[in-house]
Amino acid sequence: MSPVFLLVHGWGFDASFWTPLRDALAGTDSIAWDLGFHGSLSCPPPPAGRPVIAVGHSYGLLWLLEKRPVAWQSLVSINGFPRFAAGGDFPEGVPPRLLDRMIARFGEAPEAVYRDFMIRCGVADPSRADLDPKALADGLNALRHWDARSRMADLGPADLVLAGRADPIVPEGLTKAGFSGQDIFWHESGHLLPLEAPEWCAARLRRLHGGLFGGEPARHGAGWN
């Protein structure tokens, strides 16, 4: 049975983030979840019996590993990471003090923190009037504290890792450390590959879609711990 792509966006975005990539994937089935950063939480279940290719962008990959909301057959990272903040055994991560400052400032000026982050990502016009401060704050705390490296090790490595050499949010060293020993496909663009290079992403996803499945069981079940 043909697989379906399950697309999960990064911090501060919504399901519409995936529109260019879904257009480039015309002819394949996909579901774009919305994590509610703009007040529209929506995570409809994939069609029963269909293999799932879970695709996480940035924070979306970390969220998928931490939450494990469905059983997936294949995992894809786009500008993603299994851990974001640096630690004693992960010096390549983002310095925690930077995230702590962002979290503290968010409590006073959430719109400004959101806007500054979006501009840094490369969004030309980040103005939004529908922010959900609690969902955004929870996401920032997750970026600061979650470490899903052991969970990814238990599940097996991502089947496809796409990254940007000019990514201002996820530096090359962080990507290489998070996916040590794995093949990484690099694009010269930045943090928003599904927007900046949708056809490039789609070509690699189509290759995975067409060649990966041979009747194998899903790698893990929903609610796996």
Side-chain angles (χ1 to χ4, degrees), residues 73-216:
Q73 186 105 1
S74 180
L75 182 66
V76 176
S77 171
I78 304 180
N79 301 112
F81 40 81
R83 174 169 177 162
F84 191 60
D89 65 343
F90 194 65
E92 300 87 353
V94 172
R97 68 180 182 278
L98 299 181
L99 286 163
D100 290 340
R101 290 173 189 166
M102 191 174 176
I103 290 168
R105 185 178 172 227
F106 187 86
E108 302 173 355
E111 295 87 355
V113 171
Y114 167 82
R115 181 177 176 81
D116 289 350
F117 178 80
M118 288 291 141
I119 290 173
R120 190 175 174 215
C121 284
V123 176
D125 182 10
S127 300
R128 294 286 295 258
D130 56 356
L131 301 184
D132 186 320
K134 183 181 184 308
L136 288 163
D138 289 345
L140 282 178
N141 279 286
L143 286 167
R144 170 65 176 85
H145 295 290
W146 284 357
D147 182 352
R149 289 175 297 164
S150 64
R151 298 185 181 189
M152 189 171 70
D154 291 339
L155 296 171
D159 292 292
L160 182 62
V161 180
L162 307 181
R165 292 199 184 276
D167 193 328
I169 306 299
V170 185
E172 188 170 328
L174 193 161
T175 299
K176 289 180 177 178
F179 301 100
S180 178
Q182 293 185 237
D183 291 332
I184 301 171
F185 291 88
W186 295 96
H187 192 275
E188 295 307 312
S189 295
H191 187 63
L192 306 178
L193 287 181
L195 299 179
E196 297 166 338
E199 296 291 346
W200 182 84
C201 294
R204 282 146 186 82
L205 289 170
R206 283 185 181 280
R207 193 171 302 139
L208 181 66
H209 183 282
L212 187 65
F213 294 92
E216 303 173 32

Side-chain angles (χ1 to χ4, degrees), residues 43-55:
C43 299
R50 298 278 297 278
V52 172
I53 301 176
V55 182

